Amino acid sequence: MAVVNEITNRNVDFAKWYTDICRVAELVDYSSVKGSMIIKPYGYAIWENIQKNLDKMFKELGHVNVQMPMFIPESLLNIEKDHIEGFAPEVAWVTMGGNTPLEERYCVRPTSETLFCDHYKKIIKSYRDLPKLYNQWCTIVRWEKTTRPFLRSREILWQEGHTMHQTEEEARNETLTMWHVYEKFQKEYLALPVIIGKKTEKEKFAGAEETYTIEAMMQDGVALQNGTSHYFGQKFAKAFNITFLDQDNTLKTPYQTSWGVTTRMIGGLIMTHSDDNGLVLPPKIAPIQVMFIPIGKDEAVLTKIKEIQNKLSSNITTKIDLSDKSPGYKFAEAEVKGIPLRIDIGSRDLENNTVTFVRRDTLEKSIVSLENIEKTIEETLENIQSNLYNIAEKRRNSMLHSAANYEEFKQITETLPGFIKINWCGNIECEEKIKDDSGYKSRCILIDEKTDGVCAVCGKEGKHKIYFGKQY
Amino acid sequence: MAVVNEITNRNVDFAKWYTDICRVAELVDYSSVKGSMIIKPYGYAIWENIQKNLDKMFKELGHVNVQMPMFIPESLLNIEKDHIEGFAPEVAWVTMGGNTPLEERYCVRPTSETLFCDHYKKIIKSYRDLPKLYNQWCTIVRWEKTTRPFLRSREILWQEGHTMHQTEEEARNETLTMWHVYEKFQKEYLALPVIIGKKTEKEKFAGAEETYTIEAMMQDGVALQNGTSHYFGQKFAKAFNITFLDQDNTLKTPYQTSWGVTTRMIGGLIMTHSDDNGLVLPPKIAPIQVMFIPIGKDEAVLTKIKEIQNKLSSNITTKIDLSDKSPGYKFAEAEVKGIPLRIDIGSRDLENNTVTFVRRDTLEKSIVSLENIEKTIEETLENIQSNLYNIAEKRRNSMLHSAANYEEFKQITETLPGFIKINWCGNIECEEKIKDDSGYKSRCILIDEKTDGVCAVCGKEGKHKIYFGKQY
């Protein structure tokens, strides 16, 4: 089909293939605003599904949504030193309101730790006010120089959780809990076989004590940092002078976390599951899970489709393609848009009491009985979901390497895509040497894995198992 | 209760009463960002309910959500002359990205007609691409000098629908359809007895051909413009040079609409239904519809409450106040927060097979049998919803006046709060005379009502029935 021919082959040019998918599947468009993308209806519907499911998970854990201002006065952003150093070079500054220059310039939030702390200072007085489990769905702005749909753009849709706790233990638990919520969501809904671990001192969030990360690997072996959860300790709270009267009647400083994921996850979805024919979406996050394509004009066919729709569980989203396009065009469209299951029905199918299933994950065609078809549809969708995860995991595993020494490490970087696991001494010099030599950055320290040898770079005592990889 | 004593009496100072309610019910807080408010969890939960219900109504009519950039390059904003004149004095300008001055300054969107037109120009080529029924949930910025929670602030949460159509008729229908969606939503969900009509030439939206408005009246007789739907004709489309190939194979210009409502509706809710004891919320929009207050520590009471919760329809949101506060404090809290129905249950109630209902609208207490209590709860909530509407309508009607001549008009403005209906010649001079003399602005031209006399201002032929009133 014409529409498929517009997609560059992955092996020819992976970057071009990616932007082709974004365009042909009608996910995004470029705008006249440099570096900012337009999220089109089909792309936004994926984000709505992500929001709906994540928001439910957050609320089940007691989180509530709020809305903070989008602007941060410069003096407020300046309060925490590491934080301002990390963000000042990439914020957008508002300097005029109407025709009047502002007395103090405001940046458009690049993240909202400072705004939340400013508010928490006001509303946290007693241990009874804790914990505060706030979340915000909004957009943030970072003045990036090079941009790419979903992966890096000047304006980003995201959610940011900001919580305050009575004790260190509680805040540490929150950091880990939300990290695992992200892991669970990405594995179960997005079918991404993510690796989870801790960021090094060099790579952690500006102002955080510890950053826990979700690392996905794309089909080309390149990493996508796909969500982070930060433990702040009392750093911001002290800088903002936030205190509360504890049960023992003494003034204490609370402990803080923040955690966020962005539309970048949609980029991760695309680069993990899609193929040369177009987008491939896991059923649990697809805006349309089943596309019915009536063949011919037989009224009985439409009646049968509606009968099937009515019998299906309300969790399953379906659509009938009633446009005046040819069946061939409709097939191609369902394919490039990554609809998990296509069901073709014509008059002859009705006579045989069958329909045709076309799975997007395998592109397999099969003749399926109309008997108990609701159950067959549900099972097929579940099967597609787990199959996508398994394919992605198998591919990912084939690109996970280990290197015992620097010779091996360099050889892998020169010959194989993917992540490389090493024993590491924990010194930033070794981390920087790798980056300077190969462009590989540390992905994450593996929490549950012990070292079994010396640092692959310097040969000194190994302290951590850690992954390195190239990144988007 | 202490908490209630913090609320200024409405008759003493209505403006102070309003901000007291916003504070005591924990809806909003002030921030360090001048003119921008923080929407706290309870206030935001009301907005989430508004969003959920409106979004469903939009989607049922075929609308889809998208995300446009938050910035508008100055040259893009400048394309439609009337539009830029209307908005330029009140936008925030971004002039720096990081440490680099921008070549062209960007404003933070005050509304997005220009962004949508810029995109539509790219994606509308054929009649097959029409209609485009796009909507966006986002925040906008208008650099207001004086601000007030929900009513007027520098950053506003809203939705903006932007649609393009093949014919004038279709676009006019869309304008009216969405106007009536707003009317229905505000009447049925917010229990606001709104008046609907058309804005005068003077008061219509910058760049629109026609503006249809939803006008609510607050308890003090002052108007709140609570949503508008605009018909643009081809004005923007021509300015942006948007054309499509029609079925007859000729190039044509499409017809456009836009429509929006904001968090201002929450202000309207407060100033319509609330009282000197605190917030009053219609059940259909309340984040918590029923608050159970267990009296004493009897486990059987808690078991019974959970039994009732389980039997209730999942549409009804309930909460049990399990905090360690005193029952009296809990009662006061449910009251200031406007929970529609409070249900108190203690051991003695169980013995009598009864509970105590306290309705927030009437503050009435009643003993209710546990027999079929689910049904009683549902009916009571419905009753509260319609009672709030009826009270508001009765009050509103008592403040609707008519004036046959300017003498009468002036007398009413000096003695009675509310709206004044007159016959009007349609000339801006008469509209401006009223505004200069009394501060009353035209609210709306009544579409379905014929004139029955001469213009109350100039005595020339009457062309329209129109309402005037003071406004927030």
Side-chain angles (χ1 to χ4, degrees), chain B residues 226-269:
Chain B
N226 221 6
T228 43
S229 182
H230 314 292
Y231 172 67
F232 285 105
Q234 301 172 306
K235 220 170 163 191
F236 272 90
K238 281 186 175 160
F240 279 80
N241 201 18
I242 305 171
T243 56
F244 67 96
L245 199 65
D246 207 354
Q247 271 143 311
D248 62 7
N249 237 0
T250 63
L251 268 188
K252 289 184 186 161
T253 304
Y255 296 81
Q256 186 179 1
T257 84
S258 84
W259 28 274
V261 289
T262 76
T263 36
R264 170 171 264 227
M265 288 190 292
I266 299 175
L269 269 182

Side-chain angles (χ1 to χ4, degrees), chain A residues 3-4 6-10 12-30 37-38 40 146-153 220 266-268 270-272 274-279 336 472, chain B residues 122:
Chain A
V3 82
V4 174
E6 290 177 29
I7 303 173
T8 305
N9 193 292
R10 275 169 293 179
V12 173
D13 185 341
F14 194 81
K16 180 82 169 39
W17 165 80
Y18 175 72
T19 50
D20 283 351
I21 299 281
C22 288
R23 177 178 45 82
V24 176
E26 302 190 64
L27 301 178
V28 295
D29 204 345
Y30 297 96
M37 62 178 172
I38 291 165
K40 298 177 82 166
T146 53
T147 61
R148 213 167 197 185
F150 296 119
L151 302 183
R152 197 171 290 281
S153 69
D220 58 354
I266 300 176
I270 299 168
M271 287 197 288
T272 300
S274 299
D275 60 24
D276 291 336
N277 300 317
L279 187 65
V336 293
Y472 276 104
Chain B
K122 229 171 127 177

Side-chain angles (χ1 to χ4, degrees), chain A residues 32 48 65 70 91 95 98 118, chain B residues 32 48 65 91 95 98 118 155:
Chain A
S32 295
E48 286 182 311
N65 289 330
M70 73 154 82
V91 296
T95 58
D118 192 46
Chain B
S32 294
E48 286 182 310
N65 290 329
V91 296
T95 59
D118 192 46
E155 186 178 356

Side-chain angles (χ1 to χ4, degrees), chain A residues 125-140:
Chain A
K125 301 285 173 207
S126 146
Y127 71 93
R128 286 172 187 268
D129 301 324
L130 296 172
K132 287 283 179 232
L133 304 175
Y134 285 5
N135 177 61
Q136 171 168 265
W137 292 95
C138 65
T139 68
I140 50 168

